[in-house]
Amino acid sequence: MSQQGFKNYKLSEEIVKALDTLGYENPTEVQSKVIPIALEKKDLVVKSQTGSGKTAAFGIPICDMIDWNENKPQALILSPTRELAVQVKEDITNIGRFKRIKATAIYGKEPFNKQTAELKQKKSRSRRDSRTCAGSY
């Protein structure tokens, strides 16, 4: 499946468009194994080398399954460091850009009120509100 591209998965047009814009042509090995399982909403644990595409492997299905009409965060992604939480936030926001998905990074040593304000939901469909939260532990 890895040489057949992302269009062969049952992904929304918005996600496929974002992947094309980001230059994702074919899934990596880890993505080709993880995406179909994640799209079936099955639990999984993935171990793979740095740079293998793990963030997109879980980020693509998460963004695809987010329901815009659900006016609250729908996914929580935990990472071991602030830097990785910020990277995950950026990746999820980029993958979900055409579905107007925005992720928020929550971590220590930052004003909590600023971070919670970023999570607050508005009912406006013209804004990109946080539907995903990436945090460090």
Side-chain angles (χ1 to χ4, degrees):
M1 179 110 189
S2 64
Q3 294 304 313
Q4 297 178 351
F6 290 96
K7 292 179 179 144
N8 294 319
Y9 296 109
K10 294 178 182 175
L11 298 170
S12 67
E13 290 179 29
E14 295 91 352
I15 298 300
V16 172
K17 181 179 176 182
L19 296 174
D20 286 343
T21 302
L22 293 167
Y24 288 44
E25 294 178 10
N26 295 304
T28 64
E29 182 180 355
V30 70
Q31 291 164 356
S32 65
K33 291 178 180 178
V34 169
I35 292 172
I37 296 169
L39 287 171
E40 292 176 10
K41 300 181 182 180
K42 293 183 179 176
D43 293 337
L44 55 108
V45 176
V46 178
K47 182 177 179 182
S48 188
Q49 292 182 339
T50 300
S52 62
K54 289 184 299 296
T55 302
F58 65 79
I60 291 168
I62 286 172
C63 288
D64 193 67
M65 290 186 281
I66 286 178
D67 178 4
W68 176 258
N69 295 316
E70 190 70 35
N71 199 27
K72 62 183 178 186
Q74 297 174 45
L76 174 64
I77 304 162
L78 298 177
S79 65
T81 66
R82 173 189 307 213
E83 292 77 15
L84 187 54
V86 170
Q87 176 192 326
V88 168
K89 168 197 163 190
E90 291 169 359
D91 290 348
I92 296 294
T93 299
N94 285 330
I95 292 167
R97 70 173 64 179
F98 296 114
K99 285 183 74 175
R100 294 186 310 266
I101 295 168
K102 180 182 156 217
T104 300
I106 305 290
Y107 43 80
K109 297 188 179 178
E110 286 290 320
F112 191 67
N113 59 350
K114 175 184 168 191
Q115 294 180 61
T116 54
E118 213 176 323
L119 281 173
K120 298 249 189 241
Q121 300 299 305
K122 304 283 186 210
K123 296 219 181 210
S124 168
R125 293 185 59 83
S126 63
R127 280 184 32 114
R128 289 177 12 153
D129 299 311
S130 287
R131 298 292 197 271
T132 308
C133 178
S136 63
Y137 55 90

